[in-house]
Amino acid sequence: MAKPEIKKSLQQFDDELKQLYITGQWQYEGLLAACIGGPKPRGEAYLWPWKMVGEKLAEACDVLEESVTARRSLLFNNPGVPMGGTTHTLLMGIQMIKAGEIAWAHRHTLAAVRFVAKGDGKVFTVVNGEKCPMQPNDLILTPQWTWHDHQNPTKETAMWVDVLDVPFMLGLNQPFYEPYPGDKVQAVRDKPSEHLQQRAGWVRPVWENSQKENLPLRYAWKDVEPQLRALADQPGSPYDGVALEYVNPMTGGPTLPTLSCWIQLLRPGEHTKKHRHTSSAVYFAAGGEGTTIVGDKALEWTKNDCFAVPNWAWHEHVNRSMSEEALLFSVNDSPIVNAFGHYREEPEVSLRSMSIPAVPVPKSK
């Protein structure tokens, strides 16, 4: 008499499939059910205080005696992102070069921005042959695959915030890198008339085909601050205060295809409403002091502190001073999320949702 066939268990079948590099879709049903209401925030809300970072940068100046062979940059790793990164798509850090130093020229497919914390305008970054002076609160772009080097001919150290799309690009397996051929610094364009930045303003040459992406751009604080002040009496965003985006002047779109940069003014005593969105963000406190509450965690920041807010995490901002303004520079990955149509906000979509000021109505006699 034949023995009855013993039926495989689901676990045994799953184990067999695993050996064949196959997974049954039923394995994902629990994962999908866990996504009801949205994803869990990727990473932690975390703050890197300037008191600690500044001390380590000073030590780095001793340990790394020169910046020719290694960039003196401290990068912030979120404890909740095992693969590395300040958020799951962004990498933030602070870079310092000493008096008389250079940071050698190279290019890569990683997009980067530089927000200046210390510099006198004689310090500069060269992007594709164009000099970009570096003064406090200036923003300088080094778009993907543009040559760039940093030079400090002064007698003081210079310092800036770096933000790159490293985790995102590594996730796509798209990293390319190339050192500048021959020398450590780039050849510089001789004439201002050859600068692409001269072609990104209100008027442009009619005889040329305009370049719209990967432009060497410097958003000088002397130009940005008046615009911020001019709008400071407006209600602003109930969630972010008076927040302005640095836009590509040729397209009107985000700062870079993968990075959106903001400058954000919190008026004395201002406490924004809490919200959450599918983009993640990193912040640099450019002035003042405040608290950013992320979930049940309070990140208390002062000037030069850096912090991360993961995606889909409830957060709100507070200016702790009742007499002084607070200023935040931030970079978020909303261009990536928007590119796939996945940008969401709760409790409402606040980005570009309000009407512009109406045409004034003539006063009645």
Side-chain angles (χ1 to χ4, degrees):
M1 182 175 180
K3 293 182 180 180
E5 184 178 348
I6 300 174
K7 185 180 178 182
K8 292 178 184 175
S9 68
L10 180 58
Q11 182 62 58
Q12 289 174 318
F13 186 54
D14 285 339
D15 291 342
E16 286 183 11
L17 291 177
K18 186 176 180 180
Q19 296 299 316
L20 300 171
Y21 301 100
I22 298 173
T23 301
Q25 185 175 333
W26 53 86
Q27 295 269 23
Y28 290 96
E29 289 172 0
L31 295 174
L32 292 173
C35 295
I36 294 174
K40 292 181 179 178
R42 180 71 62 86
E44 297 181 18
Y46 200 84
L47 182 139
W48 291 265
W50 171 244
K51 185 177 186 301
M52 176 270 290
V53 173
E55 290 174 357
K56 291 303 178 185
L57 270 175
E59 287 183 39
C61 287
D62 294 331
V63 176
L64 294 170
E65 296 181 1
E66 45 78 25
S67 64
V68 175
T69 55
R71 268 166 160 71
R72 196 178 295 105
S73 179
L74 301 183
L75 303 173
F76 304 142
N77 295 313
N78 191 308
V81 182
M83 298 300 291
T86 315
T87 75
H88 67 299
T89 56
L90 306 173
L91 181 63
M92 182 187 215
I94 294 186
Q95 184 170 170
M96 177 180 282
I97 58 175
K98 295 192 292 188
E101 285 189 329
I102 64 167
W104 75 95
H106 62 209
R107 66 179 178 177
H108 40 64
T109 47
L110 313 168
V113 302
R114 327 285 174 180
F115 188 80
V116 183
K118 183 183 178 185
D120 64 358
K122 295 178 182 177
V123 180
F124 59 91
T125 289
V126 181
V127 185
N128 274 1
E130 297 187 25
K131 271 189 178 181
C132 298
M134 304 181 82
Q135 292 182 306
N137 293 356
D138 285 358
L139 173 65
I140 294 166
L141 309 186
T142 55
Q144 64 98 3
W145 212 237
T146 55
W147 298 110
H148 55 280
D149 57 74
H150 315 290
Q151 302 184 40
N152 182 6
T154 76
K155 296 181 179 180
E156 301 290 334
T157 57
M159 182 176 67
W160 56 86
V161 175
D162 291 322
V163 183
L164 303 93
D165 57 6
V166 173
F168 174 69
M169 292 298 288
L170 292 181
L172 292 179
N173 196 27
Q174 298 295 321
F176 287 81
Y177 172 87
E178 184 178 355
Y180 191 70
D183 206 347
K184 296 293 184 182
V185 296
Q186 298 175 63
V188 176
R189 297 181 190 270
D190 293 327
K191 301 176 182 178
S193 62
E194 295 176 349
H195 286 210
L196 297 187
Q197 294 182 76
Q198 294 286 355
R199 292 150 168 79
W202 296 111
V203 292
R204 297 163 194 165
V206 299
W207 63 89
E208 292 179 353
N209 181 20
S210 296
Q211 181 173 325
K212 293 182 170 57
E213 299 287 355
N214 296 344
L215 294 169
L217 287 177
R218 173 199 180 210
Y219 301 82
W221 182 240
K222 65 180 178 61
D223 299 325
V224 173
E225 185 180 20
Q227 290 182 269
L228 187 63
R229 298 290 171 203
L231 295 168
D233 64 350
Q234 289 291 300
S237 165
Y239 306 101
D240 291 299
V242 182
L244 305 184
E245 182 183 20
Y246 296 84
V247 300
N248 179 327
M250 302 298 285
T251 66
T255 321
L256 289 169
T258 54
L259 305 173
S260 173
C261 300
W262 293 15
I263 192 73
Q264 182 174 345
L265 180 70
L266 297 174
R267 292 157 287 206
E270 187 165 10
H271 186 160
T272 69
K273 295 180 179 180
K274 68 177 181 179
H275 72 153
R276 63 179 177 176
H277 37 69
T278 48
S279 56
S280 63
V282 292
Y283 291 81
F284 172 72
E289 59 180 24
T291 303
T292 296
I293 304 165
V294 187
D296 57 2
K297 189 174 185 179
L299 304 178
E300 296 190 352
W301 44 265
T302 58
K303 185 175 171 60
N304 289 351
D305 287 353
C306 296
F307 61 96
V309 175
N311 66 321
W312 209 236
W314 290 101
H315 60 280
E316 56 197 289
H317 304 290
V318 184
N319 182 350
R320 294 199 301 267
S321 173
M322 300 304 293
S323 58
E324 302 293 330
E325 297 171 337
L327 192 66
L328 291 171
F329 169 75
S330 65
V331 182
N332 65 69
D333 57 8
S334 63
I336 298 171
V337 181
N338 272 317
F340 297 98
H342 289 309
Y343 184 82
R344 293 172 181 249
E345 273 191 69
E346 285 186 353
E348 61 180 333
V349 175
S350 64
L351 279 184
R352 302 172 187 88
S353 62
M354 300 180 189
S355 300
I356 61 174
V359 176
V361 176
K363 294 179 180 179
S364 57
K365 296 182 179 179

